[in-house]
Amino acid sequence: MSESARKFVVGMILFLSAGAVVGWLYDEVVMGLLVAALIALAWQASRLLSFERALRTGNFEQFRVGEGIWEQIFSRFRFERERAVRRKKNYRMLLREIRKSTNAMPDGAVILDANNEIIACNRAAKELAGLKRKKDRGQRVDNILRDPELIRLLQSGDHKSTIEMMSPVRDGEWLDCRVVPYGGDQKLLLLRDVTERIRLSKMRRDFVANASHELRSPLTVINGYLDSLIDDESIPATWQKPVAQMRRQAARMRQILSEMLELSRLESAGAVKSDEPVDVPELLESCRQAFEGHSKVANVTIDAQSTAELRANKAEIETVIVNLLSNAIRYTPEDGEITMTWRSDGEGADLIVADTGEGIDPEYIPRLTERFFRVDKSRGRDDGGIGLGLAIVKHVLARHDAELVVTSESGHGSEFRCRFPAERVVVEPPVPLAGGA
Ligand code: ADP
């Protein structure tokens, strides 16, 4: 108990005792006690009302000095109030600093609630995406930024991926968007200007495409001359071997150029245009036949477990199969087995090319789809591998919302599985039973 509370209790006891003593003098102890209690109550009630008035008017003059309980209550109240004011001031300063620093950030940041409604955003979000701090507060961000990819990202709950979208307010500029969880069920939409990166990668793509295109014409001329030289019996015998080698290398250059062109075409092409139902087992069979008759080729079997069709660009899917099958053939010995499987389930379909060949060391698997990546660099030059095949496969699959899953064990073969989502799979309607209702 504090000193003032102790004084208050002692004073009350003394006052009530005095009342009892006066009552005793008149032979009315209880009455004396009661009168004293009433007087004490009236006094405290009047102090309480004065304090309430002081709270309303802010005039605490009568409570400023003194040792009584009410003066102590006022002193405590004043201390707490000043502390609250100090805290509020500090918080306001902190908030101002936070706002200043988020406004100085070059990246846009938008705080969203669980329904993707805007709670707050910084200045960069306004400049990059045209969001207005006050006007758009409480609006759903996907009603303002209507990019389908962004809408998909917001709905997916995927906090790792990023998407690129055109800036809705700056012509020709690109934004990289990412959603990260924030607070309880809030989210932070981060927007970054990546126009320069996109411009540079387009420049690189254009350069590769133009250079490959330009190199094709002179190479065709060289090829033509080499083709006629190889058949020319009048050339000296010492030249025959070099000419044959030149012809092989020229053919290889032609293959590199056409794969580079194919890759840049896939990179700059938009979404897949011609979506047709593709009979995958039939395509697997025609690709298998294309390799038939080649010497030293392992046995290739087709395991068609599903009759479902694939909604895709047939030529591009054929490119995928040819690349995977030619790799399987290249890296599997003659006595090995290659199996191409087509299967579907409720969640999608798999096109699998598996072999019992040399396999791949696990450390190299994540790098397989990099351009010009070859596990054994010295090998490719002789057997035609240049390291672009799987990069092309990856691009084609991405254009079909599919992904490539590679599993392999060094020395025990590999499996390349192309996983297509259910939206791309056309399952045949069940044939009605004869005579059925
Ligand atoms: P490449 O034209 O060299 O085959 P790819 O991009 O198709 O280029 O393949 C990249 C590398 O992945 C190859 O060089 C090879 O090392 C490895 N690879 C691909 N397929 C297989 C396979 N079926 N078995 C073993 N290694 C493979």
Side-chain angles (χ1 to χ4, degrees):
M1 195 185 289
S2 69
E3 179 64 12
S4 58
R6 205 172 52 77
K7 273 188 186 166
F8 173 76
V9 173
V10 170
M12 278 305 244
I13 293 170
L14 285 177
F15 186 71
L16 292 176
S17 309
V21 169
V22 173
W24 175 71
L25 288 178
Y26 292 96
D27 228 7
E28 288 283 355
V29 178
V30 177
M31 186 57 83
L33 203 61
L34 204 67
V35 170
L38 278 173
I39 292 170
L41 188 68
W43 169 244
Q44 291 308 330
S46 89
R47 295 291 283 161
L48 180 67
L49 289 174
S50 306
F51 198 81
E52 189 271 340
R53 193 176 332 113
L55 278 176
R56 265 189 290 114
T57 58
N59 179 5
F60 286 95
E61 214 43 60
Q62 56 178 312
F63 297 103
R64 272 187 209 286
V65 279
E67 298 280 301
I69 188 88
W70 287 102
E71 284 75 12
Q72 288 308 310
I73 290 174
F74 168 65
S75 138
R76 186 80 216 164
F77 164 77
R78 191 174 54 180
F79 173 75
E80 291 297 341
R81 194 175 59 172
E82 279 166 7
R83 190 154 75 170
V85 168
R86 262 199 317 275
R87 269 197 197 147
K88 205 164 151 188
K89 204 166 140 196
N90 285 345
Y91 282 139
R92 206 172 287 153
M93 262 166 61
L94 194 67
L95 204 66
R96 210 172 298 140
E97 286 308 312
I98 292 173
R99 188 168 293 164
K100 259 202 246 167
S101 60
T102 54
N103 280 342
M105 263 167 41
D107 293 345
V110 189
I111 302 175
L112 304 172
D113 68 9
N115 298 322
N116 295 329
E117 283 169 11
I118 300 173
I119 296 173
C121 66
N122 68 350
R123 189 172 296 155
K126 180 181 168 198
E127 284 161 12
L128 296 171
L131 296 177
K132 295 176 192 79
R133 197 178 289 159
K134 287 191 182 136
K135 198 167 151 247
D136 292 340
R137 189 177 293 157
Q139 303 275 343
R140 283 184 64 116
V141 72
D142 41 358
N143 283 343
I144 302 170
L145 307 175
R146 305 190 65 89
D147 185 273
E149 290 270 304
L150 177 67
I151 295 174
R152 211 169 301 139
L153 183 73
L154 286 165
Q155 286 167 351
S156 69
D158 179 354
H159 299 133
K160 289 204 178 108
S161 312
T162 61
I163 59 117
E164 279 157 7
M165 69 166 193
M166 291 260 265
S167 164
V169 282
R170 297 176 172 192
D171 244 9
E173 296 200 3
W174 285 84
L175 303 178
D176 174 280
C177 312
R178 186 178 178 174
V179 179
V180 288
Y182 167 80
D185 50 5
Q186 296 178 345
K187 285 171 262 182
L188 201 57
L189 170 64
L190 298 171
L191 307 164
R192 171 170 294 174
D193 185 348
V194 286
T195 314
E196 191 56 17
R197 195 183 77 200
I198 301 258
R199 198 178 64 80
L200 286 175
S201 86
K202 186 174 178 307
M203 259 170 65
R204 177 188 57 76
R205 272 201 318 266
D206 290 351
F207 172 76
V208 172
N210 291 338
S212 317
H213 195 74
E214 290 302 321
L215 283 170
R216 255 187 4 177
S217 317
L219 199 58
T220 310
V221 178
I222 294 172
N223 261 307
Y225 280 118
L226 288 171
D227 281 348
S228 33
L229 273 178
I230 207 93
D231 299 328
D232 188 347
E233 279 162 16
S234 66
I235 63 163
T238 46
W239 273 99
Q240 273 164 9
K241 217 170 143 196
V243 168
Q245 207 174 357
M246 278 194 277
R247 195 163 162 254
R248 267 203 309 279
Q249 292 304 325
R252 184 167 153 73
M253 272 171 78
R254 225 180 26 227
Q255 190 201 339
I256 296 177
L257 289 182
S258 80
E259 288 194 15
M260 276 166 59
L261 269 171
E262 173 71 357
L263 199 55
S264 19
R265 185 191 68 77
L266 287 169
E267 276 183 328
S268 45
V272 179
K273 294 228 169 60
S274 54
D275 259 0
E276 47 184 324
V278 177
D279 182 342
V280 180
E282 190 186 274
L283 202 55
L284 290 174
E285 183 53 39
S286 75
C287 293
R288 187 177 74 98
Q289 279 170 14
F291 285 93
E292 244 172 22
H294 288 205
S295 61
K296 296 191 188 154
V297 170
N299 184 42
V300 182
T301 44
I302 294 171
D303 179 12
Q305 299 177 12
S306 167
T307 53
E309 292 182 315
L310 182 66
R311 245 179 2 90
N313 178 307
K314 189 173 175 186
E316 290 188 10
I317 299 301
E318 186 171 1
T319 307
V320 168
I321 301 172
V322 167
N323 272 304
L324 294 180
L325 182 58
S326 64
N327 276 350
I329 289 173
R330 192 176 302 145
Y331 301 106
T332 307
E334 222 176 318
D335 57 351
E337 273 294 329
I338 297 169
T339 315
M340 297 198 285
T341 308
W342 173 242
R343 67 177 188 209
S344 64
D345 53 39
E347 280 150 31
D350 291 322
L351 192 166
I352 305 169
V353 179
D355 63 63
T356 58
E358 62 185 59
I360 306 157
D361 213 314
E363 68 170 301
Y364 296 122
I365 291 180
R367 299 195 55 197
L368 292 182
T369 53
E370 284 175 21
R371 285 143 221 258
F372 296 109
F373 178 80
R374 295 193 312 267
V375 174
D376 183 354
K377 302 256 185 283
S378 59
R379 249 193 89 141
R381 284 190 183 84
D382 301 326
D383 64 9
I386 51 172
L388 285 177
L390 291 179
I392 292 175
V393 168
K394 184 181 148 192
H395 268 87
V396 171
L397 292 183
R399 282 160 55 73
H400 287 82
D401 319 306
E403 56 169 348
L404 179 68
V405 185
V406 184
T407 37
S408 183
E409 204 184 321
S410 202
H412 291 92
S414 321
E415 182 189 281
F416 290 79
R417 181 163 67 96
C418 311
R419 178 76 183 154
F420 293 92
E423 304 84 71
R424 291 245 162 225
V425 183
V426 189
V427 184
E428 265 189 355
V431 181
L433 290 175

